[in-house]
Amino acid sequence: MRKRWQRRHIVEGIMKGLMLASFAVVAGSLGLILWIVVSRGLPALTWDMVSQTPKGGFYLGKEGGILNAIIGSLYLAGGGTLLALVFSLPIALYLETYLGDWRWGQYVRLALDVLWGIPSIVYGAFGFTLMLAVGMRASLLGGIFVLTLLELPIMTRAMDEVIRRMPAELEQAALALGSNRLEVATRVVTRQMLPGIVTAILLAFGRGIGDAASVLFTAGFTDRIPKSLLDPAASLPLAVFFQLGMPYPEVQQRAYASALVLTIIVLAISLGSRWISGRLSKYVLK
Amino acid sequence: MSLQDIVIKEQPNAQKEGRPSRPSLASRRRQERVAGRTLFIITLLPVILIVLITAALAMRFWPILKEYSLWELVSGTVWKPMQGKFGFWPFIAGTFWVTIVGVGLAVPPCLLTALYLSEYARAATRALMKPLLDLLAAIPSVVYGVWGVVAIVPFVGDTLAPWCKKTLGFIPLFTSKNPTGYSILAGGIVLAVMIAPFIIAVTYEVLATVSQGLREASLAVGATRWQTIRAIVIRQTMPGIVAGVVLGATRALGETMAVLMVVGNVPQVPKSIFDTAYPLPALIANNYGEMMSIPLYDAALLGAAFMLLVIVLVFNVVSTLVLQRMLGRRWV
Amino acid sequence: MEAHIQVRNLNAFYGKTQSLKDINIEIPRRQITVIMGPSGCGKTTLLKTFNRFLELVDDTKITGEVLVDGRNIYDRDVDVTEVRKCIGLLAQRPYPLPMSIYENVAYGMHIHRMKNSRDEYRKAVRHYLEVTGLYEEVKHRLMTPATSLSIGQQQRLCLARGLAVEPEIILGDEPTSALDPISSQHIERLLLDLKQDYTIVVVTHTLRQAKRLADYVIYMYMGEVLESGPAREVFNNPRHERTRAYLEGQI
C-alpha cells in the first residue's frame, strides 16, 4: 500500500494545484477591484462631494458634488423597487400557493428567468420606445418604469425560491385549520417568508441602483434634484460614466469617488440584507 | 372538496350559537375567488412582457427592413447612417469577439474554482465563498468599467500588447496597429471578471446535485478525487455546466456599460484581440440620443436591440430549461 | 485465530465530540465479523476508519492505528487509494455509477489499469457478475444503464464492482437495510459464500442478521467496544451486562 507515484497521482496533484490557483485568481480579482476603487476613490472623496449638487463648471473641475446623482439614484431604485414589489409579491405568492407545481407555474417561472437574462440596454430601448409612443420625455417616472421591469423578475424569482422552500407541512397545517388559500398566502406564507422577502427586495434594489444602461435614455441626467416625477433624474452610475469621460483629471478623480460611493451603497445593501434576514428569521421554521 | 362542503353546512349553526362576528364563509370564499382571478391575471404579466418587448422592438425595426433586406443589414460592413448605409457586421462581429474572449477567459478558472469548492474545499471555505460571490455579483457594471479603465486598459496597452507583438507577433491574432489598450482583450478581461461569480455559482449548484454516495462509490474502489470528478461528477452534470456557461455568455453578450468603457468603440471588423471593437449594446448606448434626426437611424438602433434580444432569448430559453430540470429551482 | 485487521488505541473525533473511544480489537481473516450495537454507538464510524472514509468528513480527527496485515493504513507514506482498493465497501444503499452495467463492474479495473486488453476486461466483468449471481439476469443487457436494475440487483452489482478490484477485505455498512427480504437474503448468502476468500466486516442493526452471519462479534456501546469474541461465546455467554441486555432485546 506504499505510495507509488503513478500517473493518476501526478494528474491529481496538477489538477488540485490548478484549482487552488483558479480559486486564488478569482478571489484575487475581487480584492483587486475593491482595492482599485478604494485607493482611487478615497483621496477624492470629500464631504462636499456627497452633500452638494454640481455648481457651475463642475464638469470642468470646479465646485460641487454628486448629491443630485445620489438622491436621483435612490429615487429611481426606490420607486422601481416599490412598483416591482406591488407586482412581484402577488406573482410569487400565486405561483406557490395556487399553482404549486402545475405546468402553468413552470411556464411563468421560465418567463421570469428569461426576463432576468434580458440585457438592461434592451429594457432601456424598450422603455424609451414606449415613452416616445406616449410622448413622454426622459424623466424620473420613465426611469422608475424601466427599473421596475428590470427588477420585477429578480425580485419575483428570489421570493418564489424562499416561498417554495417553506415547509409543506406548515401550509397544510394552516389549510387543515380551515384557512383558505388566500389566507394561507397572506397570513402564513408572508410571515414565515418575511426574511426571504426582505432579502429579495434588497437584492432587486441593489441591481436597480447599479444599473446604468436602462436609465441612460429613460431617466436622463440633470444637475438638479428632481422635484416631480416628470423631471429628469441623475443617477450614480451615469455620474461615474460621464465624469470618467471628461478629459480633466480633477473630474476623473471625482468619477473614482462616485464609483466608491456607489460601491459602498451596493455592498452595504448586500451585507445589510444578510444581517436583516438573520435578525428576522427568529420565528421562522427551518 | 367534500371537507369544504361539510364546513359550509356547519357554518350557519355556528352563527346561531352566537359566535363572535367574523367574515362569513361565503364572503371568504368570494374573496378567495376574486383574489384567485386577479392574481392569475398578474401572473400573466411576465409572459406578456416578453411578447410585448419583442413585438415593440420588432415593430420599430420594421421600417428599415422595408428598405434593406435582413441579409444586407447583417452582412454589410459600412456604417454611415448619414449616407443611409447601415452595415451591422462590424458590431455583430465585435459583440461576438468580446463575448468569446470574455467567456474563454472566464470558463477555465471558473469551472476549476467551482470544482474546488464542491469537491475539495472544507465546509467553512464554502460558507465563506457564497457571500463573496454575492458581493462580486452585486458590484455595478460601471464600477467594473472604472476598474477596466484604471487597471486593465493600461496593462493591456503598455505591457501585454507590446509583449505579445514581440513574442507572438507572427500570429495575426496577437498583433495590432491599435496604439491604446482600449481593445477586445480589455473588454474580454472585464467581462470575464464580471460573469465569473455567475458561472461559479451556477456550476457549483449543478455540481452539488451529485449525491455524496455516488462520489463515495467511486472513491471506495480506490479512485482518486480527480478520477471521480472526471468519470462521475462531470459526466453526470455536463448538460448543466454547459447551460450555466451559455447563460453566462448571454450575460456577457448583453453587458453594456463596462464593455463600452474599455473596448474603444470604432466601427470596424476586428482582426486581432488587440483591435478595438464596437459591440451592439455599445452602439445603442452611444447613439440613442442623437438618432432622431437621421432617417431610419432609430429603426437601425432598435434593430440592434432586437437582434440582441433574439440571440439572448434563444440561448436563455434552452439553457434555462436545462437548468430548471436539473436543479428544480432558481440557481443564483 | 489469525488477525487480518488489528485496531490499536483508536480514537475518533467529530469536531469536539469523541465518537470512538480507545478501540482495541482484532478482526480474524476469512471470517465474517459483525459489529453490532444500538444506533449511534459508533458502529459505522468504526467501519469507516477501516477504509479511511472518515476523513471525507470535515473536522474529523483520528488517533491510533489500524493495521492491515501489520501495516498501519494511517501511516504517512500509505496511499489512500491503495487502501481503498484493498478494502472494498458495500454501502447502506446501492449507488450504481451513472454508466452501463458493464462499465460499472469495469470501472475500478479501469481506474487501476488492472487488465491489458479489452478481452481480459470482458472476462473479468463476466466473472464478477457470475460470482454475484447477476450474470444470467443481465447478460443480454450489459450495455444498458445500471439504474435500470432493481434495487436488489443494484446492490449485487455494487458488490461485483467492489470485488472487481481484487480486495482482500469487504466492509458492509448495513448492506441490506434498503433491500426487500428476498434481496437481503441473497446478499447474506453471497457474503457467507465469499468468506472462503475474503475477510468480511459487516455492521448491522438487526440482531437476527448478526446471528445468521457472524463468526466473530464486536459489541459497541457509546463509542466503546464492550465485548468482542467468537460469535458463539458472545451470543451464548455474554460477559458484559449491557451486551446481555442488548441480546435479550432490552436496548
Side-chain angles (χ1 to χ4, degrees):
Chain A
M1 285 188 290
R2 180 179 292 277
K3 191 150 196 165
R4 289 165 296 148
W5 278 96
Q6 298 165 332
R7 214 184 89 185
R8 64 203 194 104
H9 294 114
I10 297 165
V11 172
E12 169 84 14
I14 292 172
M15 293 317 296
K16 196 172 176 190
L18 282 177
M19 286 181 203
L20 277 168
S22 306
F23 185 63
V25 165
V26 172
S29 1
L30 172 70
L32 193 63
I33 290 170
L34 290 180
W35 166 245
I36 295 266
V37 171
V38 172
S39 69
R40 296 279 178 135
L42 213 48
L45 189 63
T46 58
W47 178 245
D48 281 357
M49 272 289 292
V50 294
S51 65
Q52 289 187 15
T53 55
K55 303 287 180 289
F58 177 71
Y59 297 101
L60 305 171
K62 299 258 174 60
E63 312 240 303
I66 51 162
L67 186 67
N68 61 328
I70 297 176
I71 301 283
S73 262
L74 291 177
Y75 282 173
L76 283 166
T81 306
L82 268 181
L83 261 180
L85 181 62
V86 169
F87 293 102
S88 67
L89 193 57
I91 296 177
L93 288 174
Y94 187 82
L95 272 177
E96 180 56 25
T97 44
Y98 285 75
L99 294 179
D101 282 324
W102 191 42
R103 186 158 278 262
W104 174 245
Q106 289 309 309
Y107 289 142
V108 176
R109 286 190 176 103
L110 176 64
L112 286 165
D113 284 343
V114 169
L115 279 174
W116 190 328
I118 291 179
S120 66
I121 186 84
V122 173
Y123 280 114
F126 169 70
F128 191 59
T129 313
L130 284 196
M131 285 164 62
L132 282 181
V134 298
M136 196 204 273
R137 303 185 49 188
S139 62
L140 184 56
L141 187 63
I144 287 177
F145 170 69
V146 173
L147 285 182
T148 305
L149 297 185
L150 185 86
E151 290 182 26
L152 180 74
I154 299 170
M155 202 189 282
T156 314
R157 276 305 258 139
M159 283 181 188
D160 183 34
E161 283 313 319
V162 237
I163 294 175
R164 284 171 103 187
R165 252 182 274 135
M166 183 175 83
E169 299 80 18
L170 185 65
E171 188 181 335
Q172 278 151 18
L175 285 171
L177 287 171
S179 326
N180 62 33
R181 286 177 298 179
L182 176 64
E183 288 158 345
V184 170
T186 51
R187 303 208 184 136
V188 184
V189 178
T190 28
R191 187 159 313 167
Q192 167 80 8
M193 292 302 118
L194 194 59
I197 287 172
V198 170
T199 314
I201 292 171
L202 288 177
L203 176 72
F205 184 82
R207 289 289 158 85
I209 206 167
D211 200 76
S214 57
V215 293
L216 187 57
F217 332 114
T218 50
F221 199 86
T222 168
D223 285 353
R224 282 189 303 278
I225 293 169
K227 297 225 162 35
S228 96
L229 279 175
L230 295 175
D231 286 347
S235 51
L236 265 176
L238 289 180
V240 176
F241 179 59
F242 291 142
Q243 292 176 73
L244 199 68
M246 294 291 156
Y248 310 103
E250 297 92 337
V251 185
Q252 288 177 355
Q253 292 293 318
R254 287 194 182 136
Y256 304 146
S258 312
L260 179 61
V261 171
L262 181 57
T263 309
I264 289 172
I265 293 179
V266 166
L267 295 193
I269 291 168
S270 180
L271 292 173
S273 74
R274 258 169 200 285
W275 183 75
I276 289 176
S277 73
R279 282 294 297 267
L280 286 179
S281 48
K282 259 189 288 183
Y283 299 107
V284 169
L285 294 173
K286 286 276 161 60
Chain B
M1 262 306 152
S2 60
L3 192 74
Q4 241 173 357
D5 293 340
I6 295 166
V7 177
I8 291 166
K9 278 169 202 151
E10 278 177 3
Q11 185 71 19
N13 293 336
Q15 276 174 342
K16 271 179 215 156
E17 283 160 23
R19 292 268 179 88
S21 71
R22 50 189 188 93
S24 73
L25 192 66
S27 87
R28 284 171 64 207
R29 294 190 83 193
R30 207 175 315 118
Q31 246 180 29
E32 154 120 340
R33 217 175 317 121
V34 172
R37 277 186 203 145
T38 322
L39 285 171
F40 182 76
I41 291 165
I42 295 180
T43 316
L44 289 173
L45 200 70
V47 183
I48 294 172
L49 208 54
I50 292 179
V51 177
L52 202 64
I53 294 174
T54 317
L57 293 179
M59 254 166 58
R60 298 297 304 273
F61 188 23
W62 186 244
I64 199 172
L65 282 178
K66 281 193 288 198
E67 307 275 325
Y68 308 92
S69 74
L70 185 64
W71 175 247
E72 264 179 282
L73 290 174
V74 167
S75 65
T77 54
V78 183
W79 179 264
K80 283 186 178 140
M82 309 289 244
Q83 298 161 24
K85 286 183 180 148
F86 298 100
F88 276 107
W89 183 243
F91 307 100
I92 295 173
T95 307
F96 280 103
W97 270 84
V98 176
T99 304
I100 287 166
V101 171
V103 174
L105 286 174
V107 163
C110 288
L111 296 193
L112 286 169
T113 303
L115 279 171
Y116 174 74
L117 287 174
S118 87
E119 308 297 317
Y120 289 86
R122 302 162 55 86
T125 317
R126 275 181 230 167
L128 198 75
M129 199 59 189
K130 179 71 181 134
L132 211 69
L133 289 178
D134 282 352
L135 278 189
L136 256 177
I139 295 177
S141 63
V142 165
V143 176
Y144 280 101
V146 168
W147 173 67
V149 171
V150 171
I152 301 303
V153 167
F155 172 66
V156 170
D158 302 338
T159 314
L160 216 51
W163 183 80
C164 275
K165 200 168 190 169
K166 214 166 67 192
T167 53
L168 298 163
F170 54 92
I171 309 169
L173 189 65
F174 292 110
T175 183
S176 163
K177 291 197 183 69
N178 175 17
T180 68
Y182 291 91
S183 58
I184 289 173
L185 186 60
I189 292 173
V190 171
L191 271 184
V193 177
M194 285 186 75
I195 60 173
F198 181 82
I199 295 184
I200 293 172
V202 178
T203 314
Y204 177 76
E205 291 286 323
V206 170
L207 292 174
T209 61
V210 178
S211 71
Q212 198 55 31
L214 216 50
R215 291 191 181 94
E216 287 182 4
S218 166
L219 294 173
V221 296
T224 62
R225 294 255 191 181
W226 178 251
Q227 284 174 321
T228 304
I229 291 172
R230 249 187 47 178
I232 312 296
V233 177
I234 294 188
R235 184 170 174 149
Q236 222 193 0
T237 53
M238 206 52 190
I241 294 175
V242 171
V245 169
V246 170
L247 267 187
T250 65
R251 294 277 163 114
L253 211 64
E255 177 47 44
T256 312
M257 289 320 249
V259 177
L260 162 76
M261 289 161 81
V262 297
V263 285
N265 303 327
V266 178
Q268 58 170 8
V269 181
K271 302 232 159 19
S272 147
I273 54 170
F274 294 109
D275 279 345
T276 54
Y278 206 161
L280 284 170
L283 171 73
I284 306 168
N286 273 338
N287 299 291
Y288 220 88
E290 59 189 84
M291 70 184 194
M292 302 315 299
S293 46
I294 306 161
L296 290 182
Y297 201 176
D298 73 320
L301 289 182
L302 287 167
F306 178 75
M307 289 181 211
L308 203 59
L309 176 67
V310 170
I311 300 171
V312 169
L313 279 185
V314 171
F315 283 117
N316 258 5
V317 169
V318 176
S319 41
T320 301
L321 282 174
V322 171
L323 283 175
Q324 278 190 349
R325 178 163 296 181
M326 278 192 92
L327 301 173
R329 62 197 160 85
R330 183 72 214 173
W331 39 90
V332 183
Chain C
M1 174 189 106
E2 187 209 346
H4 196 171
I5 307 175
Q6 292 162 289
V7 180
R8 291 198 190 140
N9 308 324
L10 184 75
N11 292 283
F13 303 84
Y14 286 110
K16 286 201 177 85
T17 49
Q18 185 166 11
S19 48
L20 293 179
K21 292 169 193 158
D22 197 36
I23 310 280
N24 284 284
I25 44 166
E26 300 199 333
I27 286 168
R29 191 183 292 275
R30 298 210 179 92
Q31 293 191 15
I32 297 183
T33 301
V34 170
I35 306 176
M36 52 184 202
S39 61
C41 67
K43 300 176 298 234
T44 299
T45 308
L46 179 62
L47 192 79
K48 286 190 170 178
T49 58
F50 296 166
N51 71 342
R52 292 184 56 175
F53 254 32
L54 213 57
E55 63 198 43
L56 296 180
V57 185
D58 278 348
D59 292 326
T60 49
K61 210 182 95 192
I62 294 162
T63 63
E65 292 181 327
V66 175
L67 306 169
V68 174
D69 287 324
R71 184 99 169 79
N72 181 11
I73 60 170
Y74 285 95
D75 268 352
R76 260 178 184 283
D77 62 343
V78 165
D79 179 357
V80 64
T81 60
E82 293 295 324
V83 170
R84 291 180 189 152
K85 177 174 179 291
C86 167
I87 305 172
L89 173 75
L90 198 54
Q92 267 187 17
R93 43 162 291 214
Y95 279 102
L97 301 173
M99 39 184 91
S100 70
I101 296 169
Y102 175 90
E103 286 173 297
N104 256 278
V105 182
Y107 179 74
M109 294 189 282
H110 279 299
I111 291 274
H112 297 281
R113 299 169 187 275
M114 290 167 67
K115 301 280 184 283
N116 293 316
S117 68
R118 184 173 279 235
D119 214 42
E120 284 180 44
Y121 278 113
R122 210 171 291 150
K123 273 189 195 136
V125 169
R126 176 173 177 165
H127 170 73
Y128 288 106
L129 284 173
E130 281 170 350
V131 168
T132 52
L134 264 178
Y135 188 70
E136 285 306 313
E137 296 165 43
V138 301
K139 64 180 173 189
H140 299 301
R141 47 175 177 145
L142 284 174
M143 289 307 157
T144 55
T147 42
S148 64
L149 296 173
S150 77
I151 195 141
Q153 287 172 323
Q154 286 181 11
Q155 190 66 318
R156 280 186 280 149
L157 181 71
C158 290
L159 185 57
R161 182 180 67 205
L163 295 177
V165 293
E166 300 169 9
E168 292 169 18
I169 301 167
I170 302 168
L171 308 176
D173 181 8
E174 302 189 11
T176 61
S177 62
L179 308 183
D180 59 278
I182 307 237
S183 305
S184 302
Q185 217 180 15
H186 215 133
I187 294 281
E188 282 182 24
R189 234 183 292 135
L190 274 171
L191 292 176
L192 288 168
D193 287 346
L194 288 170
K195 74 174 175 182
Q196 315 295 330
D197 304 308
Y198 301 89
T199 301
I200 299 174
V201 187
V202 178
V203 164
T204 179
H205 60 291
T206 60
L207 190 56
R208 270 185 293 170
Q209 186 175 53
K211 286 184 172 164
R212 285 195 298 268
L213 291 177
D215 299 309
Y216 195 85
V217 172
I218 296 169
Y219 178 73
M220 291 186 71
Y221 184 79
M222 304 273 282
E224 287 177 81
V225 171
L226 287 192
E227 186 152 356
S228 66
R232 196 167 300 160
E233 278 176 34
V234 176
F235 285 135
N236 293 337
N237 209 357
R239 270 167 296 168
H240 203 287
E241 204 180 314
R242 285 200 187 278
T243 323
R244 187 185 309 263
Y246 180 81
L247 292 174
E248 285 167 5
Q250 287 174 21
I251 305 179

